[in-house]
Amino acid sequence: MSRRDDDRLDEARAIPIKEIADRLKIERLTPRGDELVAPCPVCGGKEDKLQINTLNNVFLCRAFGGGDGIGLVEHVLGCDFKEALTWLVGEGVVQLSDEEKAKRKAARDAEDRKRSKIAARKRAESIAMARAVWADGRPFAGSPAEDYLALRGIVLDAPPRALRYHPALRYMHKIDSQWTELHRGPAMLAGILAPNGDLIGVHRTWIDLSRPKGKAEIRHGETVLNAKKVLGSQKGGAIRLDPLPEASVLIMGEGIETTFTALIAKPFQSAHYWAGVSLDNMAGKMRKVKGKRHSGLPKMADENAFVPPHWVRRLVFLMDGDSEPKMTRAKLESGLRRAMALQPDLRGQIVHAGDGIDLNDLLLGAT
Ligand SMILES: [Zn+2]
């Protein structure tokens, strides 16, 4: 890239992503915390398919992947990097004096420092809240959380330490940027542990045992909200659903129910069963490859991605068929490739329940 292009790149990177989103005229952009969410103008989907983080100046399309403001232009306009740059800052030579360049760089660095400080503080606050909820939890054994799993066909010999029960957990939802309590009721808690074993987050499932699948129905107006939410962090973490046997096999699904379903089926004599919380956490970021929608190749620099512990020789990812299969498979492959690149004697494998089939539905005989 020429010096001229470098200057244009600096110029483009200095544009706040919110401004870029406005210029792209993305419809139905709605503020949610530090984010703006909208259906993706390219991939469609739900009201938060596209998430634009105005604090970190990045975006994530849950069907496509993410990137910076220039990447957003590429994705929305379907153009390449050079065209996106031109769209943002024009063709013209941007002539900046060295002094002006240094000034802009200093301003950007200061902005970056401020952003990462705010992000670190918010992360710490959120982890502290998660630990408080966890500390408030009751034993899982004999609780309605145990009955909830039984409704899903999951009956355990020994209750895992990763689960607890909360009799009256508050369900908070942001309405017009105001946190509002929409529901309060029983919930199953699952602890998310960092690689070093510290509790960094809590996965919560609000339950209602009178409903067929046991999940509470929480509404805001017409919209049915997700009865499962994560508080705190999940970065690189996992919900460890087993009592830590001696084993070198790690079986990992996205959700708790899916992973338990595999645990009950016992495909291996001895294995660990961990839930990865989200596909993005399990797989980490994928590399962009020109001409490919989903490259299946890991972005090795992603330091937030899950990495299996050193004792894992065989890593099995469980693939649910109820989300977009191509994207899901590519992400899982990317995650396995990351693990294999870091641990050359590790073997990776994907187990697929079948198109449109959730592994837990198989257990319930619903298909
Ligand atoms: Zn998209």
Side-chain angles (χ1 to χ4, degrees):
M1 201 175 276
S2 71
R3 190 169 165 75
R4 197 199 103 183
D5 282 343
D6 278 351
D7 288 351
R8 291 171 70 222
L9 194 54
D10 276 354
E11 187 81 9
R13 285 194 175 138
I15 307 173
I17 199 159
K18 162 136 189 7
E19 200 181 308
I20 296 176
D22 288 342
R23 278 176 60 184
L24 286 167
K25 300 195 168 55
I26 296 173
E27 286 178 12
R28 290 170 60 195
L29 268 183
T30 313
R32 193 180 73 181
D34 300 321
E35 289 178 338
L36 293 166
V37 298
C40 178
V42 184
C43 316
K46 281 191 260 182
E47 71 267 21
D48 64 345
K49 193 72 163 187
L50 181 69
Q51 304 168 347
I52 295 171
N53 188 317
T54 52
L55 192 62
N56 296 322
N57 263 329
V58 291
F59 82 100
L60 176 74
C61 162
R62 291 199 290 171
F64 163 80
D68 61 6
I70 304 169
L72 181 64
V73 175
E74 286 179 67
H75 182 47
V76 172
L77 299 183
C79 63
D80 66 17
F81 179 78
K82 277 199 143 176
E83 290 163 340
L85 202 55
T86 302
W87 187 84
L88 280 167
V89 296
E91 283 285 5
V93 183
V94 182
Q95 288 282 14
L96 296 179
S97 67
D98 286 349
E99 194 190 347
E100 179 59 25
K101 267 190 246 171
K103 217 170 96 188
R104 289 193 182 187
K105 186 175 183 312
R108 264 205 313 278
D109 288 352
E111 191 62 31
D112 279 351
R113 277 196 301 276
K114 200 172 107 193
R115 269 204 297 265
S116 48
K117 231 172 138 178
I118 295 172
R121 199 192 64 218
K122 288 198 166 184
R123 197 175 119 92
E125 279 171 8
S126 161
I127 290 174
M129 281 196 285
R131 287 179 177 159
V133 165
W134 184 250
D136 232 15
R138 318 267 166 88
F140 171 81
S143 77
E146 194 173 35
D147 300 334
Y148 162 73
L149 284 186
L151 261 183
R152 306 296 297 263
I154 297 159
V155 179
L156 303 160
D157 305 334
R161 291 174 56 193
L163 298 182
R164 282 186 183 176
Y165 169 69
H166 197 297
L169 190 61
R170 299 199 298 164
Y171 188 103
M172 305 298 286
H173 188 66
K174 221 170 200 178
I175 300 169
D176 300 329
S177 64
Q178 199 67 269
W179 283 106
T180 311
E181 183 180 321
L182 274 192
H183 172 84
R184 186 188 292 227
M188 177 173 79
L189 308 179
I192 302 168
L193 302 189
N196 69 1
D198 285 350
L199 186 88
I200 51 171
V202 173
H203 179 281
R204 301 158 296 168
T205 307
W206 276 268
I207 59 183
D208 177 354
L209 298 176
S210 69
R211 298 179 60 80
K213 278 190 157 185
K215 268 196 300 179
E217 190 182 77
I218 301 163
R219 283 175 176 273
H220 175 228
E222 289 294 292
T223 318
V224 177
L225 301 170
N226 196 346
K228 299 178 173 186
K229 289 217 249 191
V230 172
L231 181 64
S233 172
Q234 54 177 280
K235 282 175 182 172
I239 302 167
R240 306 177 187 180
L241 294 174
D242 49 59
L244 293 184
E246 285 288 320
S248 59
V249 180
L250 176 60
I251 298 179
M252 183 174 248
E254 193 179 338
I256 296 168
E257 293 83 355
T258 300
T259 311
F260 267 133
T261 300
L263 184 148
I264 285 173
K266 280 211 190 329
F268 294 93
Q269 273 300 325
S270 180
H272 294 267
Y273 294 84
W274 291 10
V277 190
S278 69
L279 192 56
D280 287 329
N281 181 53
M282 280 165 76
K285 292 202 173 97
M286 225 171 357
R287 229 159 66 201
K288 268 207 243 175
V289 173
K290 216 184 152 129
K292 278 196 169 176
R293 204 171 153 90
H294 311 295
S295 74
L297 300 171
K299 197 173 192 174
M300 294 305 287
D302 179 10
E303 51 195 31
N304 292 324
F306 171 80
V307 171
H310 62 89
W311 44 259
V312 177
R313 291 292 166 274
R314 187 166 181 178
L315 178 61
V316 181
F317 276 167
L318 305 172
M319 177 172 165
D320 269 343
D322 60 351
S323 40
E324 294 156 76
K326 272 192 185 148
M327 187 254 316
T328 307
R329 178 166 284 274
K331 283 193 172 181
L332 292 177
E333 280 175 359
S334 162
L336 289 178
R337 288 194 172 110
R338 174 193 316 281
M340 290 188 280
L342 294 169
Q343 251 151 256
D345 58 348
L346 180 146
R347 277 188 301 149
Q349 185 184 348
I350 294 173
V351 175
H352 188 190
D355 280 339
I357 301 170
D358 176 299
L359 207 59
N360 187 241
D361 286 341
L362 280 181
L363 184 66
L364 293 177
T367 49

